[in-house]
DNA sequence: AACTAACTATACCATTTGAGTATAAATTGG
DNA sequence: CCAATTTATACTCAAATGGTATAGTTAGTT
């Protein structure tokens, strides 16, 4: 019931890129966000594949957001790093449901609703909003 | 971002005990809820230690709820099996927060709120309600 | 065209966690 | 005392997590 270390690192990276709003090298990201270089590269690869970041090769290359930060939600990042959210196996895999979805299971139903709310919450927050609240906080 | 198998088994066990409302042997629970016997015993031990179940030794022994099903919530069971919920490490362990909680981190704050809602949802559902909705469902 | 700073892909490894097993001991009712 | 049951501890095996290593490919600069 916990997000990966890699997912947490992803949050930091995307915040960093949102603030800078330019191409940033993996080296700078690794140093400033305190992520092991090699591990970071792997994470960046996943984010590129998911269409959240774009990579630029060669000298002066690096990474930048692939789209407007307003269109990147917490849910997007989590699913890019960990696949679809499923708070209980029974919600996605019949094999793990003792009732095989044949009879109504009260826990199954309630967990399904709770998960829906969680996913909803996560998709409501995009990185533009996060940065805005960050800035207004710093100005106080 | 997923509950343990053991937690899911716990749900089944508690539903079973709520429906029966008597002492039930580990053997019956294992067979009817399709949980490996030895593994079930370990789980039952945790639930007893957490004060959710009571155990009865000797012949005709077994397990029963330690309190009214109205006072057992989904959250209680999850925390008994997995410890306190923390959707991100940074929420509980400073070491995992790149900002060491010194500056305000926008992700930290939002995740904290989302977690609070999740915990709230989970604690709102108790097993009496679950059973009631189950029964009304079956009568249709 | 060569050089070099960057990204890319694949494979590898160590540690932790998850899921389940095994053994033996303690308890209770009859 | 016996048998059915719970309790405690320790073990095993596989998968996931977190991170490394190697060997490339790309593209701007000279």
């Amino acid at each position: 019931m916990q997000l990966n270390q890699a997912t947490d690192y992803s949050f930091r990276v995307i915040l960093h890129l949102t603030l800078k709003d330019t191409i940033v090298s993996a080296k700078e990201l690794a140093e400033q966000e305190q992520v092991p270089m090699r591990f970071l590269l792997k994470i960046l690869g996943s984010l590129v594949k998911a269409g959240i970041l774009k990579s630029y090769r060669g000298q002066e290359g690096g990474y930048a957001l692939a789209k407007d930060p307003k269109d990147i939600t917490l849910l997007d990042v989590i699913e890019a790093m960990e696949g679809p959210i499923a708070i209980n196996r029974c919600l996605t895999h019949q094999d793990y449901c003792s009732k095989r979805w044949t009879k109504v299971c009260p826990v199954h139903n309630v967990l399904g609703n709770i998960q829906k709310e969680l996913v909803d919450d996560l998709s409501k927050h995009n990185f533009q909003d996060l940065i805005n609240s960050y800035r207004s906080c710093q100005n106080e």
Side-chain angles (χ1 to χ4, degrees), chain A:
Chain A
M1 204 58 184
Q2 200 163 60
L3 297 170
N4 285 343
Q5 189 71 0
T7 304
D8 187 54
Y9 288 155
S10 299
F11 292 148
R12 302 183 197 181
V13 164
I14 296 172
L15 282 174
H16 191 118
L17 291 174
T18 304
L19 277 169
K20 284 267 178 141
D21 199 22
T22 67
I23 296 177
V24 177
S25 72
K27 197 178 167 205
E28 174 178 330
L29 290 170
E31 280 169 4
Q32 300 206 12
E33 298 301 332
Q34 306 177 48
V35 184
M37 182 62 172
R38 302 277 188 175
F39 192 39
L40 174 65
L41 289 173
K42 200 154 92 174
I43 292 166
L44 290 169
S46 304
L47 293 173
V48 168
K49 196 175 289 176
I52 293 172
L53 303 187
K54 275 178 75 175
S55 67
Y56 299 86
R57 293 192 171 206
Q59 255 177 230
E60 303 295 305
Y63 297 85
L65 297 184
K67 45 188 177 181
D68 199 288
K70 196 151 208 69
D71 297 323
I72 305 175
T73 69
L74 288 177
L75 183 65
D76 293 333
V77 178
I78 293 173
E79 295 199 323
M81 299 306 298
E82 325 198 0
I85 287 184
I87 60 177
N88 200 9
R89 291 163 178 70
C90 75
L91 294 172
T92 46
H93 294 95
Q94 274 204 13
D95 314 353
Y96 285 111
C97 178
S98 64
K99 313 293 183 196
R100 309 275 146 171
W101 296 354
T102 49
K103 291 180 194 170
V104 178
C105 166
V107 173
H108 185 112
N109 284 332
V110 168
L111 286 181
N113 289 335
I114 289 175
Q115 172 172 305
K116 208 177 294 170
E117 282 197 46
L118 174 63
V119 167
D120 219 54
D121 274 357
L122 289 171
S123 64
K124 259 186 219 135
H125 293 96
N126 65 66
F127 278 80
Q128 186 60 60
D129 292 350
L130 288 174
I131 287 293
N132 288 343
S133 75
Y134 181 53
R135 289 203 172 112
S136 72
C137 226
Q138 285 199 314
N139 292 340
E140 278 170 12

